[in-house]
Amino acid sequence: MGKIVKFLILNLIVCNLGIVLAIGRQDVIGYTTYDWQMGGPMTTRCRTDSVCNGIHVSWVASNFNPSTDRNQGYNYYNFTTHQWHWPVGMNIYPQISGFGNLDYDPITGVAIASTHQSVSGGLTITCAKDQSPGAGTFVYCQGPLSYRNPVINVSHNQAIHCIMLDTTIDTLWYARIQPWCNWTTPLNISTDVPPYYLSYNIAASKISNKVVVVWRCLNDPYPERAFYRISNDGGINWDSPVQLPFPPAQGITPCFDLSGLFAMFDYQDNLHIVTSVSDTGFTVPAAIWHFCPINNPQWSLVYHYAPQTLNAPVGYNAIFATRPTIVQSPTTNHFYVTWEQFDSLNYEPSTYLTRADIWIAESPNNGQTWHNQQSITIPNTTSKRFPCAGGVFADTLVISYLIDSIAGFAMITQGRATLNPVICHFIPLPYAGIEQDIGNWKLDIGNLSTSPNPFTSQTTIHYSLPIAGKVSLHLYNASGRLVKILADEHKPAGNYFITLDSKNLSAGLYFCKLNLPNKSITLKILKIL
């Protein structure tokens, strides 16, 4: 990727959502109507792969409501070509699929994903493995029957570690794939402390045989307990469950959030857990905390949020600051935590629910102290949800998330369904002080629009090129197949338009992708009869 995001770009994304201004560079890598991406913690769905210099991102994908086509969308960014492999992603599985997540093989660099699927009337775990990095030619491996909601992580020796629920959804089970498609017999990992539905997560070391599982306990009286359990030999033997100590009170009775527990092993093979905490089950005050057993004290406060004015609630399955993930820079060893935080003064009138933005914080000392807490997105009429810190490559922090045009989950009848962009956000490091320097930068902003949209016989596509350079304008159908090359040449700065004739275009959804020297924009257009 070189220095592509070494400077600040105030990037515009126009997706029939209004305008989003943010620090860094934002790429639209897919779309989905499925706005409830995960009920529990944000499992790893964005991974910066240091083996093959690329980024893997997945999400729950759907184009309909109800989501009869639910699948896992996938896209891959190649740091050598500076391109995403598909304009709006591709589906990992050939059939409807449920919740799962994604990781990568640390030796080959290929993506590995998990899901559950309906087979012969019951749910079955299915894993998918790409044939080469970013190829999109997945092979599939069915796992044990009568299990659901798998979360995977891949260790240094290519073992795929999976944690999942049984059909009673009150017991956590562990299984391992090694070699490919050779599953071990599922092991009850939660023993006498059953999990609270989707509150669990798993992490495997990329340099040793350590594996950890974290979860919140089912039906605890306030305050709910959380546990972690470690294996030091690649999932063969497990230490007894350890209760995660409660963080310092900070004036509240701390309660671990259902969507809060996320674990990782750093480059020194130390365990880190980040979690969101609220006051005895309520939504405020809310805080993001970091736990590391070798630190003294073990807990450190990442951010505390206690709004004085609450104009609207946050909605289902959330507190005011939640879904944290954590990554470490391989060059500086700094840690970065990202989370979604709701704005108590910004709410959606149609659902009367608050909107969220994406926040980050940085620690230079193994998580002992945190600073530079700030939002990387700007409050507007959209809600930014389900962030995942994918990693740090060179001098860039990579984060993925969803931009929901209506706050609330359409999947549970909180507002109508909309086609929402999936974002990969590149944050230049160090990012401290960027906001103060905005006035010193020239705004190199491109634009892409079409009129009319929807269209019948023809539509005019308008675009602007802020600086001279190579420009390409391609039209893709809903499945991601290239339909037309509308422009592919070097142009001077200026405003341009192209008339698109609908001859030989069937009715349906299309995506127009504009690639500029410093950004790319994707716009959806609809051909009607």
Side-chain angles (χ1 to χ4, degrees):
M1 186 165 54
K3 300 299 181 181
I4 193 167
V5 291
K6 186 65 177 178
F7 55 90
L8 173 67
I9 301 170
L10 293 184
N11 196 23
L12 285 175
I13 297 177
V14 183
C15 309
N16 296 334
L17 296 170
I19 296 175
V20 180
L21 285 170
I23 295 171
R25 163 184 158 183
Q26 295 167 306
D27 286 354
V28 178
I29 60 172
Y31 290 88
T32 184
T33 58
Y34 206 94
D35 53 6
W36 186 18
Q37 286 288 296
M38 176 57 79
M42 183 60 215
T43 57
T44 305
R45 289 187 175 177
C46 178
R47 294 305 300 260
T48 301
D49 171 16
S50 59
V51 178
C52 297
N53 295 339
I55 303 170
H56 305 273
V57 186
S58 73
W59 61 93
V60 180
S62 177
N63 289 315
F64 303 104
N65 184 40
S67 56
T68 54
D69 64 334
R70 187 174 69 176
N71 210 298
Q72 277 200 66
Y74 170 69
N75 218 331
Y76 177 78
Y77 185 85
N78 189 309
F79 286 149
T80 301
T81 63
H82 314 306
Q83 294 289 328
W84 292 96
H85 278 202
W86 301 274
V88 290
M90 59 161 287
N91 284 341
I92 292 179
Y93 298 95
Q95 67 188 82
I96 186 170
S97 300
F99 290 120
N101 75 317
L102 169 141
D103 199 6
Y104 73 95
D105 186 316
I107 295 178
T108 65
V110 302
I112 298 175
S114 66
T115 190
H116 63 239
Q117 298 173 330
S118 179
V119 177
S120 301
L123 290 179
T124 298
I125 304 300
T126 301
C127 277
K129 181 174 72 170
D130 208 350
Q131 294 301 283
S132 61
T137 54
F138 287 89
V139 295
Y140 308 98
C141 173
Q142 283 193 355
L145 297 173
S146 301
Y147 293 91
R148 58 182 295 168
N149 300 96
V151 181
I152 62 167
N153 219 242
V154 186
S155 57
H156 72 110
N157 59 358
Q158 299 181 292
I160 303 169
H161 303 273
C162 179
I163 193 76
M164 52 199 168
L165 292 171
D166 60 15
T167 53
T168 65
I169 67 172
D170 63 0
T171 306
L172 273 178
W173 297 82
Y174 165 83
R176 183 177 65 260
I177 305 175
Q178 192 183 35
W180 171 248
C181 215
N182 185 4
W183 288 79
T184 61
T185 301
L187 169 71
N188 181 352
I189 202 76
S190 54
T191 59
D192 296 328
V193 282
Y196 193 110
Y197 193 34
L198 298 177
S199 66
Y200 54 89
N201 225 316
I202 189 170
S205 171
K206 293 294 191 280
I207 60 177
S208 77
N209 291 324
K210 290 182 180 179
V211 185
V212 64
V213 176
V214 291
W215 70 95
R216 200 185 86 175
C217 191
L218 175 68
N219 295 332
D220 258 1
Y222 290 131
E224 288 97 337
R225 296 170 297 163
F227 292 83
Y228 67 93
R229 194 171 185 182
I230 289 181
S231 170
N232 291 294
D233 56 7
I236 299 173
N237 298 286
W238 291 83
D239 295 344
S240 298
V242 177
Q243 182 176 344
L244 192 66
F246 287 104
Q250 293 287 316
I252 66 174
T253 302
C255 173
F256 288 109
D257 177 33
L258 170 66
S259 303
L261 291 166
F262 186 92
M264 60 92 75
F265 290 100
D266 64 22
Y267 292 112
Q268 292 72 41
D269 219 22
N270 297 314
L271 173 65
H272 297 260
I273 297 174
V274 286
T275 185
S276 48
V277 172
S278 66
D279 185 3
T280 56
F282 298 100
T283 58
V284 289
I288 305 296
W289 284 89
H290 166 266
F291 172 82
C292 181
I294 68 169
N295 284 354
N296 186 18
Q298 295 178 326
W299 283 107
S300 60
L301 180 63
V302 179
Y303 193 70
H304 183 265
Y305 183 48
Q308 300 302 306
T309 302
L310 301 178
N311 283 352
V314 296
Y316 181 72
N317 199 216
I319 64 175
F320 264 88
T322 186
R323 292 190 169 89
T325 56
I326 183 172
V327 292
Q328 181 187 22
S329 168
T331 55
T332 66
N333 284 327
H334 287 201
F335 287 85
Y336 298 90
V337 170
T338 182
W339 68 95
E340 63 180 32
Q341 183 165 302
F342 291 84
D343 186 338
S344 64
L345 302 179
N346 183 12
Y347 66 93
E348 165 61 47
S350 66
T351 61
Y352 196 63
L353 294 173
T354 52
R355 299 172 174 129
D357 282 285
I358 308 302
W359 283 64
I360 58 177
E362 178 183 33
S363 173
N365 52 13
N366 201 53
Q368 296 180 73
T369 59
W370 296 87
H371 55 84
N372 292 334
Q373 296 91 339
Q374 62 177 289
S375 173
I376 60 166
T377 58
I378 304 301
N380 58 8
T381 59
T382 67
S383 189
K384 280 70 74 177
R385 303 294 309 273
F386 302 99
C388 177
V392 176
F393 180 81
D395 54 4
T396 304
L397 173 63
V398 179
I399 301 171
S400 68
Y401 52 87
L402 177 77
I403 297 182
D404 193 355
S405 57
I406 296 181
F409 297 144
M411 298 299 105
I412 56 173
T413 67
Q414 292 178 337
R416 61 182 176 86
T418 53
L419 193 62
N420 304 306
V422 179
I423 301 298
C424 188
H425 197 149
F426 301 94
I427 309 296
L429 300 175
Y431 67 91
I434 283 180
E435 291 182 318
Q436 286 73 31
D437 293 335
I438 285 177
N440 298 326
W441 294 94
K442 177 182 177 181
L443 303 185
D444 289 336
I445 297 175
N447 203 357
L448 177 66
S449 64
T450 181
S451 181
N453 186 20
F455 70 99
T456 52
S457 59
Q458 66 179 30
T459 185
T460 302
I461 300 171
H462 301 265
Y463 67 94
S464 62
L465 186 60
I467 57 175
K470 178 69 178 296
V471 59
S472 66
L473 186 64
H474 293 172
L475 185 70
Y476 299 86
N477 63 16
S479 63
R481 183 177 64 84
L482 178 64
V483 176
K484 284 188 177 183
I485 297 177
L486 303 174
D488 191 8
E489 57 188 311
H490 192 281
K491 286 179 175 291
N495 297 315
Y496 299 90
F497 70 89
I498 294 175
T499 299
L500 174 63
D501 195 317
S502 68
K503 184 179 179 180
N504 299 325
L505 291 181
S506 58
L509 183 67
Y510 292 85
F511 295 92
C512 188
K513 184 175 184 180
L514 175 67
N515 288 315
L516 299 176
N518 61 354
K519 65 181 292 185
S520 64
I521 309 172
T522 302
L523 177 71
K524 63 180 186 291
I525 58 178
L526 183 64
K527 164 70 165 53
I528 58 178
L529 297 175

